[in-house]
């Protein structure tokens, strides 16, 4: 009997030791999911490679699942703060969830600091926009190019989509056809569209005769944009709720359209057939 027990243990023990534990299953599953969409080595090998990817594919002002370099979930605020340090870049990862997921990847210490400096500046701007969310839209009172008066009361009962722009801003003009289509879809669904322009009324009227833009246009808004809202990059897009609270802030038309229309995939910049702008100096 004793010999029989020993024989059974000899055969059973390997079976038990080879069985995958629940912890091991989780590790395997995690490794299968946490995969960068773009090669880290490729991105850091050349500044232009990274800039083209970052500009076209990374939307730091959007909602996303934030992961640190150990693939642990962190808050968006902490994620942006780490990017501001200049020690990391972010890469979208292959995720089984509907929400886009970005992960931090540490930059080599001996790498040229051009990527680091631009990443730091872009993350800082994204962080400033992030801090605006949940704040009250500044008080304003203005007349649009057609003589209609606007104030904060205009926000009551509707979601308001706002764009900042000026006539000589190429990026601002290039996205107008896309935004016009956006207005056509949502103009009767309790959403209104305002644009804050820095130009005076007459130049704007001349511009609008040749260029269709279906937003309501408010002239001479540089003070509101840059001194009250503290925005310095054009275009910038805001969503203000029916209580006058800034809900979201974005840098691109594609991002705000995607946010409003949650049932559609993110509309990429290819729609406007625009190449990314030249890489900013580090």
């Amino acid at each position: 009997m004793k010999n029989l027990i020993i024989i059974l243990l000899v055969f059973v023990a390997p079976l038990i030791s080879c069985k995958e534990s629940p912890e091991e299953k989780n590790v395997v599953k995690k490794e299968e999911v946490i995969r960068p969409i773009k090669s880290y080595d490729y991105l850091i090998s050349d500044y232009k490679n990274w800039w083209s990817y970052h500009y076209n594919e990374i939307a730091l002002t959007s909602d996303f699942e934030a992961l640190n370099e150990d693939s642990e979930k962190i808050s968006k605020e902490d994620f942006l703060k780490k990017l501001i340090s200049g020690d990391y870049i972010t890469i979208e990862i292959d995720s089984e969830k509907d929400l886009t997921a970005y992960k931090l990847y540490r930059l080599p210490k001996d790498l040229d600091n051009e990527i680091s400096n631009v990443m730091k500046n872009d993350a800082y701007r994204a962080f400033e926009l992030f801090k605006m969310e949940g704040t009250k839209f500044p008080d304003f009172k203005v007349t649009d190019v057609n003589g209609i008066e606007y104030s904060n009361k205009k926000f009551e009962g509707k979601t308001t989509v706002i764009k900042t722009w000026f006539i000589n801003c190429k990026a601002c003009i290039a996205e107008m056809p896309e935004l016009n289509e956006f207005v056509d879809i949502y103009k009767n669904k309790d959403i209104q569209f305002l644009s804050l322009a820095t130009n005076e009324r007459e130049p704007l009227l001349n511009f609008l005769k040749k260029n269709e833009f279906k937003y309501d246009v408010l002239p001479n808004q540089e003070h509101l944009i840059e001194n009250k809202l503290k925005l310095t990059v054009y275009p910038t897009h805001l969503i203000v709720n029916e209580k006058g609270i800034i809900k979201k802030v974005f840098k691109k038309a594609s991002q705000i359209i995607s946010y409003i229309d949650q049932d559609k995939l993110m509309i990429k910049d290819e729609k406007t057939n625009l190449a990314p702008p030249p890489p900013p100096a580090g």
Side-chain angles (χ1 to χ4, degrees):
M1 183 65 179
K2 184 175 182 180
N3 290 337
L4 180 59
I5 293 173
I6 292 173
I7 292 171
L8 288 173
L9 287 173
V10 169
F11 281 97
V12 173
L15 295 175
I16 295 174
S17 62
C18 292
K19 187 176 181 180
E20 192 176 30
S21 67
E23 291 77 10
E24 289 171 334
K25 284 184 178 180
N26 290 337
V27 171
V28 171
K29 186 175 182 180
K30 188 176 185 180
E31 290 176 350
E32 290 174 350
V33 173
I34 307 300
R35 294 192 303 269
I37 298 294
K38 200 75 173 180
S39 166
Y40 168 77
D41 291 334
Y42 168 79
L43 293 177
I44 67 170
S45 67
D46 183 86
Y47 173 59
K48 291 182 179 179
N49 291 345
W50 169 78
W51 170 244
S52 179
Y53 169 77
H54 181 77
Y55 179 84
N56 286 306
E57 306 298 336
I58 300 298
L60 294 178
T61 52
S62 65
D63 292 330
F64 58 87
E65 182 179 25
L67 303 176
N68 65 16
E69 59 185 317
D70 296 319
S71 300
E72 298 168 338
K73 191 173 180 179
I74 59 176
S75 68
K76 181 177 179 179
E77 181 175 359
D78 288 341
F79 185 90
L80 293 174
K81 285 180 178 179
K82 286 183 177 293
L83 282 179
I84 291 172
S85 71
D87 294 333
Y88 303 89
I89 61 171
T90 182
I91 304 177
E92 182 180 353
I93 62 166
D94 187 8
S95 175
E96 296 177 347
K97 298 181 180 179
D98 292 333
L99 188 65
T100 299
Y102 295 152
K103 180 182 172 181
L104 295 171
Y105 286 80
R106 185 176 290 274
L107 290 170
K109 291 183 179 180
D110 59 349
L111 188 71
D112 186 287
N113 64 2
E114 199 169 21
I115 292 177
S116 173
N117 288 340
V118 176
M119 182 72 265
K120 186 189 306 183
N121 292 335
D122 194 52
Y124 178 77
R125 287 193 293 269
F127 184 68
E128 290 297 302
L129 298 182
F130 172 72
K131 289 196 300 183
M132 290 178 65
E133 295 174 9
T135 63
K136 183 180 181 295
F137 192 90
D139 291 337
F140 75 101
K141 188 173 183 179
V142 66
T143 301
D144 76 359
V145 292
N146 296 314
I148 301 173
E149 290 190 355
Y150 289 80
S151 68
N152 297 72
K153 290 185 178 180
K154 186 72 174 177
F155 298 136
E156 295 176 2
K158 286 191 175 184
T159 295
T160 305
V161 177
I162 297 175
K163 168 190 169 80
T164 67
W165 68 290
F166 58 95
I167 290 173
N168 292 325
C169 170
K170 292 182 179 180
C172 301
I173 309 309
E175 64 180 17
M176 284 183 176
E178 186 177 5
L179 291 175
N180 287 337
E181 293 179 14
F182 182 41
V183 173
D184 287 339
I185 294 171
Y186 285 100
K187 61 184 177 183
N188 296 319
K189 297 182 180 180
D190 292 326
I191 298 179
Q192 59 187 349
F193 301 86
L194 306 181
S195 70
L196 309 177
T198 63
N199 305 95
E200 295 182 357
R201 179 175 180 271
E202 289 305 317
L204 285 169
L205 287 174
N206 290 332
F207 171 85
L208 294 170
K209 288 178 183 177
K210 301 176 182 178
N211 304 273
E212 185 179 32
F213 188 33
K214 296 183 178 181
Y215 277 49
D216 296 334
V217 180
L218 282 57
N220 298 312
Q221 293 308 298
E222 185 173 357
H223 178 73
L224 174 59
I225 296 168
E226 299 187 5
N227 295 91
K228 290 188 175 183
L229 289 168
K230 309 293 184 183
L231 298 174
T232 57
V233 176
Y234 295 83
T236 298
H237 302 267
L238 303 90
I239 297 177
V240 181
N241 69 16
E242 68 280 1
K243 296 181 180 179
I245 302 300
I246 298 172
K247 190 174 180 180
K248 293 292 295 183
V249 188
F250 299 98
K251 294 191 297 182
K252 299 179 183 179
S254 58
Q255 296 165 3
I256 198 165
I257 292 170
S258 177
Y259 181 82
I260 293 291
D261 191 355
Q262 296 292 341
D263 294 330
K264 290 185 178 180
L265 296 175
M266 175 74 75
I267 300 173
K268 300 295 184 181
D269 285 323
E270 286 79 6
K271 184 170 183 179
T272 57
N273 297 317
L274 287 177

